[in-house]
Amino acid sequence: MRGKRALWGILVSLLLAVGAIGLAARSLLADLPSPDTLYAHQTGVSSRILDRNGRLLYEIADPHAGRHTPTSLEEIPLACRQATIATEDANFYTNPGVDVAGIVRALWINLRGGEVLAGGSTITQQLARNLLLDPQERSQRTLTRKLRESILAWRIARLYSKDDVLTLYLNEVNYGNLAYGIEAAARTYFGREAAELDLAECALLAGLPQSPALYDPLTSPQAARERQQVVLDLMSQQGFITTEQAQLAAAEPLRFAAAPFPIEAPHFVMTVRAWLEERFGLEAIYSEGLVVTTTLDLDLQQAAERVMRRQLNRLAQAGEGSAYHDVNNSALVALNPVSGQVLVMVGSPDYFDPAIDGAVNAALALRQPGSAIKPLTYAAAFDPQPRAGSPAPLLTPASILLDVRTSFPTREGNPYVPLNYDNRFHGPVSAREALACSYNIPAVLVLQRVGVDRLVTLAGDLGLSSFGAGERFGLALTLGGGEVRLLELTAAYAAFDNGGRRVEPYTVLAVRDAAGNMRYRARTQPGPRVIDPRVAYLITDILSDGEARAPAFGPVSVLSLSRPAAAKTGTSSDWRDNWTVGYTPQLVVGVWAGNADGRPMVHVSGVEGAGPIWHDFMETALRGQPVLDFVEPEGLERVQVCAPSGLLPTPYCPRTRTELFIAGTAPTREDDWYRPVRIDVATGQPAAPDSPPERVVEQVYVFPPVEVREWAQEHGWPLGPTSAAPGTGAATTSQQELVITSPDPGTVYHLSPAVPAAYQSIRVSARPAGGATVAEITLYIDGEPLATLSAPPFETFWPLALGEHTFLALGADAEGRSLRSGPVSISVLP
């Protein structure tokens, strides 16, 4: 009896299990589309992208009705087929259309309560998911979807040959930028037919389907190149190509351009398209007839394109031959400085020109900004509370910065000695003049005081997303050592224009569907205040000060408009990039000029390349608009200072100027650079206490900081006698110093066992700071005399020895007065 019950129990359990399996199978198979419909596609309603005034920029059609051209397998290069198989499905020709291991993995993850992740599907599974499952199910990450997809893939593999499946996949897969299929991708990225693609181009395209937005070569060329390398490595590992072929393909330059089709503002439209895809999905774009009203002003866009082409033609004709300056590309972004609306985005002068990589959007590409990043450094220094516990700014516009040869220690230990654009030193300059004239050494001095981390933080607060952690950069960051996007840098300048608020650029005002229902409306609020309004105005006041920048740019330059305007140029040290970014109260505009492939230009600075484009576009765009002044916030004051010291004037100060300060930060100390000295006319030296009064006259001399005395002497300044104390003629040693000129402080040297010790020596030298005659100089190392020298050059050589070492110079002038240098420390490592 008991045995019969057990048998019935087993039978019932088996029936229940079979029923459960049947129900599950029925659930999996319910509404499952037939593989016979694989080639059937329904054309949806086109979406339209309009400018802010309702003019059509581009109409997005269903890919099978628009930019979609089926191609036979024989017409697709073998390299493209192999690259796709190597990247997406290495066992394509041997598997049953299904990734069995992936299904088992999905079952295991599901049993553990996890989410089934995308990826790892065969080419056949991807085809089944993308063409047979509806958009809602396609986006699900569930075990049911994975199993239904696998069943469809298995059925497809039974119904179609492998070549048929591969052909269909290559004709349907999304390569980004509205390109579906290999033919559309070839025309979209390279401007020619798929049959003409080579190995390098095939490898790049094969890497896109995994993440078309992330690896988009038109906005992220570096990421696309890295992905191309992955594809080439996979092809090599699977025996499709040799290692040498992979290396040659990776090194091949690529030219990006699209085959012409009807479109206005193509780079802007592609940016909007990417936003639509992210927000609404591809199915909505192709089937719901979206009407997208954007922020773009087509009239301004076309004006920018005309100005840009005119300037590039001018540069091409400026010298002997059309390639004299070797610059063929440019980009321009114009924003509303308050709302952040993108009014203009020109990514290149010709989207369809492969010779200039026209399809690459230089407005979004990473490039080195040169000096265009300097205003952020000075803004950090002008901040009245830049650091916790520091109630005063590090600098004011009147602060003096010494533009003389300066060696800065680096994290790596190698000395960093920046040079100015004109390869000259300008002596003591105010922070105002240093920024307006874009002097490099003062900018590095400012960043050294501010700290790299502070600049990186401020850049991030202003919307620059590319700097990341500060430890990646050194002091060269303020000279453009990092990389930025033109759109983001222009938005950062907008904060100087709008009183210190962060600006988030955006491109879409509203989206409606075909029935007129509102699907999206932009709602903008003022961004967070990231810069003190007074600091923002100080930067604006300096960048709009034509007199302050006259020493570097002349009294009239392209940075001057017919109305108040602030502007800054930038040129990378290797001539690969030049910039002009500037603004008026109504408009902020950024311009980049260079070559999309990174090829250096031939001596084209920001004021010569990007500057005229900025100037001409600003004048065109603002024609007919009211002339507005920048609005000065409360909390600023104007104070007379002595030039060049920046201190309060005395009767002896020969030249004063009015400077702008944040209230409470103006100098309180009187100028001590210009001092009267009692001179004995008989000797020409400071008067002694017993000098006859009739031989004593009072003359005003300059007593600048010791670091700049040599420069001042070379430039004919009336330097005071080094032995003269203010107003008395008493002797002093405070003004006469020595300077160690070699080695540079902070240098790290390495001893090599492969080089004879006699050849591993360094030069040690010193000089008097003011250029005065000295009787002798003794050089010391670690407190021990190294050499005593009685005539210039005051130098010797020291054989390197492991450890930390400190050099010092002591000396005496002709009268026997003591002279001393500051210490200079170095390291010698194995």
Side-chain angles (χ1 to χ4, degrees):
M1 200 64 167
R2 196 176 298 164
K4 287 183 179 180
R5 283 197 193 124
L7 182 60
W8 276 108
I10 293 172
L11 289 173
V12 170
S13 298
L14 286 172
L15 287 172
L16 289 173
V18 170
I21 293 172
L23 289 172
R26 184 174 180 180
S27 173
L28 285 172
L29 298 174
D31 302 321
L32 199 63
S34 170
D36 293 332
T37 65
L38 202 57
Y39 285 93
H41 300 284
Q42 184 176 8
T43 301
V45 182
S46 297
S47 293
R48 292 180 299 148
I49 298 178
L50 313 175
D51 90 330
R52 65 189 304 112
N53 298 310
R55 286 174 292 183
L56 181 66
L57 301 177
Y58 184 62
E59 188 167 358
I60 305 176
D62 181 275
H64 302 91
R67 293 164 62 198
H68 177 266
T69 306
T71 306
S72 68
L73 195 63
E74 292 73 24
E75 294 175 299
I76 300 172
L78 178 62
C80 289
R81 291 178 260 161
Q82 293 174 333
T84 299
I85 291 171
T87 307
E88 298 293 339
D89 188 358
N91 301 313
F92 170 72
Y93 276 102
T94 58
N95 66 43
V98 179
D99 178 11
V100 178
I103 296 173
V104 173
R105 185 166 58 249
L107 284 166
W108 173 248
I109 293 173
N110 184 263
L111 289 172
R112 298 183 65 184
E115 180 183 52
V116 177
L117 301 176
S121 298
T122 65
I123 284 175
T124 316
Q125 285 177 262
Q126 293 180 51
L127 199 62
R129 178 171 66 248
N130 293 332
L131 294 187
L132 296 180
L133 297 182
D134 63 53
Q136 184 176 359
E137 183 176 4
R138 192 183 307 157
S139 63
Q140 295 173 357
R141 294 184 176 183
T142 64
L143 178 63
T144 300
R145 194 227 73 195
K146 191 77 173 178
L147 292 175
R148 282 167 59 85
E149 168 194 303
S150 300
I151 292 170
L152 283 172
W154 186 84
R155 287 181 173 180
I156 290 171
R158 308 283 76 73
L159 192 61
Y160 300 97
S161 70
K162 288 290 185 178
D163 283 353
D164 287 341
V165 171
L166 182 60
T167 302
L168 194 54
Y169 177 86
L170 288 169
N171 278 298
E172 298 295 336
V173 69
N174 177 21
Y175 289 93
N177 283 295
L178 304 177
Y180 278 75
I182 191 73
E183 182 69 21
R187 293 180 180 275
T188 294
Y189 294 107
F190 300 113
R192 58 181 187 273
E193 296 178 358
E196 302 174 35
L197 297 174
D198 63 16
L199 171 59
E201 294 162 340
C202 286
L204 184 130
L205 293 182
L208 298 183
Q210 183 184 88
S211 183
L214 180 63
Y215 302 125
D216 185 350
L218 305 185
T219 58
S220 303
Q222 183 60 35
R225 276 294 202 175
E226 291 171 359
R227 178 64 176 161
Q228 178 202 43
Q229 183 66 64
V230 171
V231 174
L232 290 169
D233 289 344
L234 289 171
M235 293 180 73
S236 175
Q237 292 168 17
Q238 293 166 29
F240 289 125
I241 59 175
T242 65
T243 302
E244 183 181 6
Q245 287 175 310
Q247 292 171 344
L248 289 173
E252 178 184 316
L254 297 177
R255 295 290 187 187
F256 295 107
F261 55 90
I263 188 172
E264 298 282 358
H267 294 101
F268 177 82
V269 166
M270 294 305 170
T271 303
V272 171
R273 186 273 316 160
W275 180 89
L276 290 171
E277 181 179 338
E278 181 180 352
R279 187 172 185 90
F280 297 104
L282 285 171
E283 293 298 326
I285 298 175
Y286 295 135
S287 63
E288 296 184 14
L290 302 179
V291 178
V292 185
T293 302
T294 69
T295 59
L296 187 99
D297 186 315
L298 185 56
D299 288 336
L300 292 183
Q301 175 83 11
Q302 293 171 340
E305 292 168 352
R306 288 193 299 271
V307 166
M308 184 180 294
R309 293 185 186 117
R310 185 168 64 241
Q311 169 61 4
L312 290 174
N313 288 337
R314 192 182 299 146
L315 285 172
Q317 298 167 8
E320 300 175 1
S322 60
Y324 179 73
H325 286 297
D326 198 9
V327 52
N328 59 29
N329 214 329
S330 186
L332 184 149
V333 169
L335 305 176
N336 181 304
V338 177
S339 68
Q341 292 182 14
V342 179
L343 303 174
V344 174
M345 179 188 285
V346 184
S348 77
D350 188 348
Y351 184 82
F352 300 107
D353 185 356
I356 64 170
D357 292 310
V360 174
N361 189 349
L364 301 180
L366 288 170
R367 311 292 301 216
Q368 289 197 338
S371 296
I373 203 69
K374 286 176 183 172
L376 278 67
T377 305
Y378 283 85
F382 290 162
D383 191 333
Q385 292 184 321
R387 294 167 296 178
S390 178
L394 295 172
L395 291 178
T396 72
S399 297
I400 290 304
L401 300 167
L402 303 182
D403 186 16
V404 294
R405 184 186 186 279
T406 308
S407 174
F408 297 91
T410 63
R411 187 177 290 107
E412 296 79 15
N414 301 314
Y416 173 49
V417 184
L419 296 174
N420 286 315
Y421 175 79
D422 58 5
N423 288 318
R424 296 190 300 121
F425 300 117
H426 306 91
V429 294
S430 68
R432 173 178 292 273
E433 181 182 338
L435 175 56
C437 291
S438 199
Y439 297 146
N440 286 341
I441 296 164
V444 178
L445 285 167
V446 174
L447 183 57
Q448 187 180 46
R449 298 186 195 181
V450 168
V452 173
D453 288 342
R454 170 63 181 158
L455 175 57
V456 169
T457 298
L458 178 59
D461 291 343
L462 288 170
L464 297 179
S465 62
S466 52
F467 280 178
E471 58 267 15
R472 291 174 50 206
F473 304 102
L475 294 175
L477 182 61
T478 191
L479 306 184
E483 291 183 322
V484 300
R485 296 176 175 86
L486 176 62
L487 178 62
E488 292 181 350
L489 184 62
T490 306
Y493 271 65
F496 299 132
D497 197 0
N498 67 26
R501 293 190 179 277
R502 173 172 171 152
V503 166
E504 294 284 356
Y506 67 97
T507 58
V508 176
L509 293 173
V511 179
R512 296 180 182 271
D513 61 22
N517 300 312
M518 184 67 70
R519 297 289 302 277
Y520 169 84
R521 184 187 296 278
R523 290 182 175 84
T524 58
Q525 296 179 340
R529 195 177 296 282
V530 294
I531 299 177
D532 187 305
R534 299 168 297 176
V535 172
Y537 187 81
L538 289 180
I539 297 295
T540 296
D541 190 60
I542 293 172
L543 297 185
S544 60
D545 187 343
E547 183 179 350
R549 65 171 169 251
F553 296 92
V556 179
S557 74
V558 295
L559 303 185
S560 302
L561 301 182
S562 58
R563 60 181 65 220
K568 182 73 187 73
T569 62
T571 304
S572 62
S573 59
D574 52 10
W575 302 92
R576 296 178 190 276
D577 308 281
N578 71 57
W579 311 67
T580 299
V581 187
Y583 50 93
T584 67
Q586 303 104 313
L587 190 65
V588 55
V589 173
V591 179
W592 167 86
N595 297 302
D597 61 4
R599 187 175 67 256
M601 298 168 285
V602 179
H603 300 298
V604 179
S605 68
V607 76
E608 296 163 330
I613 298 173
W614 177 86
H615 175 276
D616 292 355
F617 173 75
M618 290 290 276
E619 292 286 13
T620 300
L622 295 170
R623 188 177 297 134
Q625 294 195 33
V627 176
L628 301 177
D629 288 314
F630 295 106
V631 178
E632 181 177 323
E634 296 182 355
L636 295 170
E637 60 180 349
R638 286 171 171 76
V639 176
Q640 287 283 111
V641 297
C642 182
S645 71
L647 301 173
L648 296 179
T650 68
Y652 307 107
C653 180
R655 184 168 62 91
T656 64
R657 60 185 177 87
T658 301
E659 187 53 270
L660 189 62
F661 296 91
I662 294 174
T665 67
T668 57
R669 185 163 60 91
E670 289 188 339
D671 173 72
D672 57 1
W673 287 34
Y674 291 95
R675 308 174 191 167
V677 178
R678 296 172 65 244
I679 298 294
D680 188 327
V681 295
T683 65
Q685 297 297 317
D690 58 351
S691 296
E694 63 274 13
R695 286 177 19 200
V696 176
V697 297
E698 189 175 79
Q699 295 182 6
V700 176
Y701 291 94
V702 188
F703 294 84
V706 64
E707 298 92 336
V708 81
R709 281 185 64 87
E710 183 176 11
W711 178 94
Q713 184 180 50
E714 292 172 354
H715 287 77
W717 283 27
L719 294 178
T722 58
S723 59
T728 66
T732 177
T733 61
S734 63
Q735 293 297 321
Q736 176 68 69
E737 298 288 349
L738 301 177
V739 175
I740 292 179
T741 55
S742 180
D744 285 317
T747 305
V748 176
Y749 295 94
H750 293 270
L751 276 174
S752 171
V755 178
Y759 293 97
Q760 299 189 68
S761 299
I762 62 170
R763 185 171 64 91
V764 182
S765 60
R767 61 167 172 77
T773 302
V774 296
E776 68 176 24
I777 292 178
T778 301
L779 301 172
Y780 290 81
I781 178 165
D782 301 327
E784 297 294 328
L786 179 62
T788 298
L789 308 158
S790 57
F794 300 99
E795 64 177 39
T796 187
F797 286 85
W798 172 71
L800 293 174
L802 293 175
E804 303 288 328
H805 303 283
T806 300
F807 294 91
L808 189 70
L810 299 179
D813 63 13
E815 287 76 32
R817 285 182 283 268
S818 298
L819 309 173
R820 182 185 183 91
S821 76
V824 168
S825 296
I826 66 165
S827 299
V828 182
L829 303 178

